[in-house]
Amino acid sequence: QVQLVESGGGVVQPGRSLRLSCATSGFIFSSHGMHWVRQAPGKGLEWVAIIWYDGTKKYYADSVKGRFTISRDNSKNTLYLQMSSLRAEDTAMYYCARDSAGDWFFDFWGQGTLVTVSS
Amino acid sequence: DIQMTQSPSSLSASVGDRVTITCRASQGISNSLAWYQQKPGKAPKLLIYGASTLESGVPSRFSGSGSGTDYTLTISSLQPEDFATYYCQQFYSMATFGQGTKVEI
């Protein structure tokens, strides 16, 4: 069965960096685009970034452009999100999600990892 | 950017009720719309994509319809496990979510 397991969240000071990981199994990772989606406490869902199945294309929400970098290692079936210059408003649960056949909607989600940006 | 507006933001219903949630896009999205269900403390779950295609394993009491800018999620007979928050998402141009509709007792 498809599994997505995020890790790397925690408490970090404003301006610092953090790297999230999403380990996957149960499907051919190298055949799917992958996304990060976040949800601030008590708020709605916000799409963050996408990476193409082969890593050749990446797109970001304006709110994180220039600060966050999405990447993947197809040999390890793992997705990453490098977050830098973190702000209080980046505090959220971060979910990795599988892209459904290149259509930019999400057919499988991980359980999320919580990032708290606070001094 | 395409904005998605859901209504209502919350609703109260009873088991067996027919529930309708609407989602309006700021421009036409050609049926590039998905619906998700999220329960407290859990990840969202895909229910419907392409405005009306039911994801595998999703009960048939869920249905989606619409076209152009206006879309609807309908639960024909609300079950206890359906109390949750529902989100629409457009994928016509990148990805944008509606603000969510909380369905409660």
Side-chain angles (χ1 to χ4, degrees):
Chain A
Q1 71 281 21
V2 173
Q3 286 196 314
L4 309 173
V5 180
E6 301 93 337
S7 60
V11 180
V12 61
Q13 293 179 328
R16 303 298 292 265
S17 299
L18 200 64
R19 189 177 85 154
L20 307 182
S21 300
C22 172
T24 74
S25 61
F27 67 102
I28 301 173
F29 181 69
S30 58
S31 294
H32 286 265
M34 295 293 296
H35 300 260
W36 289 98
V37 177
R38 69 183 180 182
Q39 186 170 35
K43 302 297 184 182
L45 300 165
E46 179 187 18
W47 173 79
V48 173
I50 182 178
I51 185 167
W52 248 232
Y53 68 99
D54 57 0
T56 55
K57 293 184 180 181
K58 305 172 186 180
Y59 296 94
Y60 300 91
D62 288 344
S63 58
V64 307
K65 200 174 297 181
R67 301 187 299 121
F68 289 12
T69 301
I70 190 171
S71 62
R72 64 190 298 157
D73 186 336
N74 284 350
S75 68
K76 295 182 178 179
N77 296 332
T78 302
L79 174 73
Y80 303 100
L81 185 68
Q82 178 69 46
M83 305 184 293
S84 61
S85 302
L86 282 161
R87 307 166 179 168
E89 55 265 36
D90 296 319
T91 294
M93 183 70 77
Y94 284 75
Y95 296 100
C96 65
R98 191 180 83 165
D99 186 274
S100 178
D103 282 329
W104 287 60
F105 64 90
F106 321 109
D107 59 358
F108 288 94
W109 298 65
Q111 85 289 350
T113 187
L114 182 62
V115 173
T116 302
V117 183
S118 174
S119 54
Chain B
D1 292 4
I2 299 176
Q3 310 301 318
M4 305 300 292
T5 303
Q6 268 182 254
S7 60
S9 55
S10 66
L11 65 90
S12 295
S14 300
V15 173
D17 284 354
R18 181 181 182 89
V19 169
T20 299
I21 299 168
T22 63
C23 189
R24 174 165 288 175
S26 58
Q27 66 183 74
I29 57 171
S30 298
N31 290 352
S32 298
L33 186 94
W35 289 97
Y36 301 88
Q37 176 193 66
Q38 187 178 33
K39 296 181 179 179
K42 300 293 187 182
K45 173 188 173 184
L46 177 66
L47 298 176
I48 287 168
Y49 59 93
S52 61
T53 302
L54 205 63
E55 173 72 344
S56 176
V58 174
S60 59
R61 63 181 180 273
F62 291 92
S63 64
S65 64
S67 63
T69 61
D70 295 328
Y71 298 86
T72 299
L73 172 70
T74 299
I75 310 172
S76 60
S77 178
L78 198 67
Q79 298 302 299
E81 60 268 30
D82 300 337
F83 290 95
T85 300
Y86 294 84
Y87 293 93
C88 63
Q89 178 235 330
Q90 67 82 17
F91 51 94
Y92 181 77
S93 174
M94 301 180 81
T96 316
F97 291 92
Q99 78 274 22
T101 297
K102 186 174 183 179
V103 176
E104 50 195 353
I105 300 173

